[in-house]
Amino acid sequence: MAICGALQMKLMTGFDADSEKMYAEAGTIASEAVNNFDTVTSVGVQDVFMRKYNAGFEIPIRNGRKSAMVAGIMFGISEFLSQALWAVSFWIGSIFVRDGFCDFPELMTAITGLLFAGMMLGNASGQASDVSKAKIAATKIFRLLDRESGIDPSKKTGEVSSFSGHLAAEGLRFEYPSRPDVHVLRGASIEVSQGQTLALVGASECGKSTTIALLERFYDPREGTIRIDDTEIREYNLNHLRFNLGLVSQEPDLFNRSIRDNIAYRLDHSDGTPVTDDTIIAAAKAANAHSFISELEDGYDTVVGARGERLSGGQRQRVAIARALVREPRILLLDEATSALDAVSERVVQDALDKAAAERTTVAIAHRLSTVKNADVIAMVSKGRIVESGKHEQLLRIPNGEYANLVKNQLNEATDEE
Ligand SMILES: Nc1ncnc2c1ncn2[C@@H]1O[C@H](COP(=O)(O)OP(=O)(O)OP(=O)(O)O)[C@@H](O)[C@H]1O
């Protein structure tokens, strides 16, 4: 019976592991469809997602049948053995009593002991499928728990209340862990002095957002250093580092809470003291958000909905800017902060960003030349390297330069559109 149980567990571990993988994939498809509900319905691909989702269950169903078959056969064998044990024990026992080896009470004591042990073993083998599932789940959990990140958020040293804002990155080389063969950054170096604006420009996928991700320490570079105020960013306490960098990205994440909470969000949690209304309003004013917030029926108490769905793109972005500014960071990171907006919203948001950048060190990724032209330094990124850097006019003078070509192309596109 114990052998049956062990065999059942061994066979079913393989089936269950495959099924677990397929369930996870089907779950990913379902959550993609739900999270992108608007896109999925507007392009009418619900059926495609349904088919993919159903296809995800083909292997688990097949495995489920095999697994039920194995469990059934093994259960049958172990039940048969347990009943056979009764029969054989009574048969042999009766011979022992007949030949005088033992009396009847001794026989019953031995048989009861034997049979109960057998039944317990049989029951245990019935749990084999649960044991194999628990083994798979526990392996995943322990693998996750044993993983050590090189980026330690619990490090207590390196606390910093504010930066002065000098930023320098040198020789950055980086590949994403999920795609180690793709060399995203191949020795990129940038420097921006306190209070200046650096614009990162370049073709799609050349590594601009990745540079911002490294500055925020979402990842560490494989090679190279990033220094803020002449200290390597690995030396800073991670929370303090991020707290002092104001990040505004293309699609801001707003929480399904009031505008006030969304602006004050991280400050409330950092030292436990709530942010005053004056501070929130000052940040909203600096982000050109105060007037539209005041016009809402519930003002700063307006709940914005999941991911800010009750606000327009431009309004969401201005709340995100206010959230970045309320902490008064000395360094602002703008990752295509206006590229998802229409022309009118873009102007209002850009105006807010220009105001915010005026007193701060700013690293901005932007596609539109009107946004980058006035930057103190423009860095042209190409295939993971900075190939040109300087002011707009300087870069335009480089014969056949990449930035000059980019400008020419954008001007041609603008003329074609007219
Ligand atoms: N999380 C990730 N995992 C794996 N690869 C990624 C990840 N994020 C980006 N990449 C890859 O890294 C490369 C650089 O991406 P990155 O977003 O830095 O480019 P970018 O210059 O900002 O592009 P764009 O202007 O289109 O936003 C791309 O090939 C991209 O597919």
Side-chain angles (χ1 to χ4, degrees), residues 176 178-179 184 203-210 219 336 367:
Y176 282 95
S178 58
R179 296 170 75 198
V184 179
S204 198
E205 300 193 9
C206 62
K208 303 181 295 292
S209 299
T210 304
Y219 303 90
E336 301 187 40
H367 284 296

Side-chain angles (χ1 to χ4, degrees), residues 48 154 255 262 307 336 346 399 401:
V48 178
S154 59
F255 299 91
N262 267 291
R307 290 189 289 169
E336 301 187 40
E346 188 198 352

Side-chain angles (χ1 to χ4, degrees), residues 83-95 107 111 114-115:
Q83 299 305 322
L85 196 64
W86 277 97
V88 172
S89 310
F90 276 111
W91 177 60
I92 296 177
S94 65
I95 294 172
L107 170 72
I111 287 182
L114 255 176
L115 289 177

Side-chain angles (χ1 to χ4, degrees), residues 169 171-176 182-189 205-215 221-223 226 381-386:
L172 298 181
R173 290 180 187 275
F174 178 72
E175 297 80 31
Y176 282 95
V182 181
H183 302 294
V184 179
L185 295 181
R186 303 159 184 244
S189 301
E205 300 193 9
C206 62
K208 303 181 295 292
S209 299
T210 304
T211 309
I212 298 257
L214 296 188
L215 295 177
R222 177 172 53 80
E223 260 181 48
I226 302 174
V381 190
S382 177
K383 295 180 185 149
R385 290 193 191 94
I386 309 295

Side-chain angles (χ1 to χ4, degrees), residues 202-277:
S204 198
E205 300 193 9
C206 62
K208 303 181 295 292
S209 299
T210 304
T211 309
I212 298 257
L214 296 188
L215 295 177
E216 277 270 336
R217 263 200 103 198
F218 293 143
Y219 303 90
D220 276 337
R222 177 172 53 80
E223 260 181 48
T225 54
I226 302 174
R227 291 175 173 277
I228 295 180
D229 297 348
D230 289 329
T231 302
E232 235 273 299
I233 57 172
R234 289 174 210 242
E235 303 294 325
Y236 290 117
N237 172 289
L238 194 63
N239 282 331
H240 282 235
L241 169 76
R242 290 182 183 158
F243 191 81
N244 286 295
L245 299 173
L247 173 69
V248 184
S249 45
Q250 188 175 356
E251 280 294 330
D253 289 322
L254 296 192
F255 299 91
N256 191 3
R257 297 174 67 170
S258 67
I259 293 181
R260 178 195 315 280
D261 286 351
N262 267 291
I263 295 178
Y265 159 68
R266 238 183 103 182
L267 269 188
D268 276 346
H269 290 86
S270 69
D271 61 3
T273 45
V275 189
T276 63
D277 278 358

